[in-house]
Amino acid sequence: MLWEERGAHVGERVRHDWLWWTGEERRRRSASTGKTITRDHHKEKRQAVFCMLTGMEEYTSGDDGNFNTDETSVLVKECIEGVIGGTDYNHNKVNQWTANIVEHSLTHLVKQGRPFKYIVNCTIMQKSGAGLHTASSCYWDTTTDGSCTVRWENRTMYCVVSVFAVAM
Amino acid sequence: MMEESDTYHIRPNHRFKFKPAVVKGYIRNIVRERLSDVQYEPETVAELTRSLAESVKDKVKTAEFDRYKIVVQVLIGEQRGQGVKMSARCLWDADTDNYAEDVFMNDSLFCVVTVFGSYYY
């Protein structure tokens, strides 16, 4: 191939790429074929954010589309047991405990590799005969998003962990 | 960063971003209005917690944060000198998502309200 020809091909290909990114080429091609060539920007953004948050390459949508309450509840219970399993309420350690419970729960949830953003909330209260109430109200897509609250207690304290999962 | 074309909204416009300060103001007003002279009573507080969560959610919806999913959590407890610790951690896109919280106390109860906003691409 002559250099001029190669140069022309390279130049043209580069020009095509540039036009693709700006949308002009896309419109020109769709005008000639009659079909619309579109990129799903929302899907690409979701995959990019998923990759950034979890370090995994891709998520597979499909059966993992909905939040699984039971599985999450079991997972969180294990995390709580692991951190405050056999201990009594200790004012100096409470900070550390809540941070650890929340961190471990989040890490295990992320390992599942589902396309969700998570909010994990943990409350530890000393047992003193006082009452505690918690309620939540959510504005989201009820088919894909969900929450799960786990109540745990031992002789000296209560622990309540809430997990909210919002689909990406 | 994704290149935007054809105005696909994959990140909120700065004016419509979830603003913690604004939401905190809403929470403060609602909580002070509803709880300023309320005493802790086991029968009534359960219903009060639920309705408070609904009110805060409705108020935040009126602020019209476009394409945001809202989660409101309300915690009310009796004050008896016990120790309480509450913490939260979130895995989300810090660019677009945020939260606001407020604590209210009177001599018989304490109340913590947290609102989380997550953008739907």
Side-chain angles (χ1 to χ4, degrees):
Chain A
M1 211 185 292
L2 293 173
W3 277 109
E4 296 90 314
E5 282 175 356
R6 279 183 75 187
H9 276 115
V10 165
E12 207 168 52
R13 193 181 64 241
V14 166
R15 188 185 69 91
H16 275 167
D17 285 343
W18 183 75
L19 285 176
W20 178 265
W21 282 107
T22 60
E24 270 180 56
E25 175 67 10
R26 219 185 314 144
R27 278 191 275 277
R28 190 183 76 78
R29 285 191 190 189
S30 67
S32 64
T33 62
K35 278 188 290 186
T36 326
I37 305 169
T38 54
R39 290 170 58 203
D40 190 344
H41 289 254
H42 296 274
K43 186 165 175 216
E44 285 180 25
K45 171 77 173 188
R46 272 179 223 130
Q47 296 210 303
V49 172
F50 179 79
C51 184
M52 168 186 77
L53 291 178
T54 61
M56 298 180 199
E57 276 302 311
E58 260 203 12
Y59 70 85
T60 45
S61 53
D63 59 314
D64 282 341
N66 298 335
F67 180 64
N68 190 332
T69 315
D70 304 315
E71 211 180 311
T72 310
S73 159
V74 166
L75 194 147
V76 167
K77 221 167 240 160
E78 278 173 23
C79 289
I80 301 176
E81 280 290 332
V83 176
I84 51 176
T87 56
D88 285 340
Y89 182 84
N90 183 340
H91 177 71
N92 302 324
K93 293 206 187 146
V94 166
N95 274 357
Q96 205 184 342
W97 286 339
T98 50
N100 284 346
I101 290 173
V102 155
E103 225 174 284
H104 289 180
S105 306
L106 205 48
T107 317
H108 286 120
L109 283 167
V110 165
K111 272 202 199 132
Q112 289 179 342
R114 301 221 176 105
F116 283 105
K117 292 178 178 175
Y118 295 103
I119 297 162
V120 180
N121 197 350
C122 169
T123 307
I124 294 184
M125 187 171 96
Q126 194 178 15
K127 270 191 177 176
S128 64
L132 184 73
H133 294 262
T134 170
S136 68
S137 173
C138 309
Y139 178 60
W140 59 25
D141 182 347
T142 50
T143 52
T144 55
D145 309 329
S147 72
C148 155
T149 311
V150 175
R151 282 162 288 273
W152 181 95
E153 65 178 288
N154 71 6
R155 205 176 50 90
T156 51
M157 57 183 168
Y158 296 108
C159 177
V160 181
V161 177
S162 311
V163 177
F164 300 94
V166 171
M168 270 205 255
Chain B
M1 224 27 240
M2 306 301 298
E3 200 196 67
E4 281 184 291
S5 60
D6 297 347
T7 67
Y8 289 167
H9 292 289
I10 54 175
R11 52 174 300 118
N13 189 318
H14 180 73
R15 264 177 296 142
F16 305 119
K17 235 176 168 169
F18 187 86
K19 298 204 181 69
V22 167
V23 176
K24 182 165 172 142
Y26 293 155
I27 301 174
R28 258 204 138 85
N29 290 338
I30 295 178
V31 169
R32 265 143 191 71
E33 184 192 316
R34 298 271 291 249
L35 293 185
S36 7
D37 44 9
V38 170
Q39 298 297 309
Y40 182 89
E41 273 145 41
E43 306 88 37
T44 55
V45 162
E47 191 45 48
L48 177 64
T49 323
R50 260 190 291 275
S51 79
L52 199 59
E54 287 287 321
S55 318
V56 173
K57 183 195 72 173
D58 293 334
K59 182 72 186 171
V60 174
K61 273 171 76 174
T62 63
E64 285 185 8
F65 295 119
D66 198 31
R67 294 189 76 91
Y68 269 94
K69 293 183 178 178
I70 311 283
V71 175
V72 175
Q73 185 164 37
V74 173
L75 181 84
I76 297 187
E78 193 182 355
Q79 281 233 50
R80 277 220 200 167
Q82 80 277 20
V84 187
K85 178 74 181 174
M86 177 163 158
S87 65
R89 192 155 300 194
C90 314
L91 182 81
W92 58 25
D93 183 353
D95 241 354
T96 55
D97 308 331
N98 218 322
Y99 78 101
E101 41 121 21
D102 196 40
V103 180
F104 170 80
M105 289 198 280
N106 69 18
D107 52 5
S108 79
L109 56 74
F110 66 91
C111 174
V112 182
V113 178
T114 348
V115 177
F116 301 94
S118 167
Y119 188 74
Y120 183 70
Y121 305 115

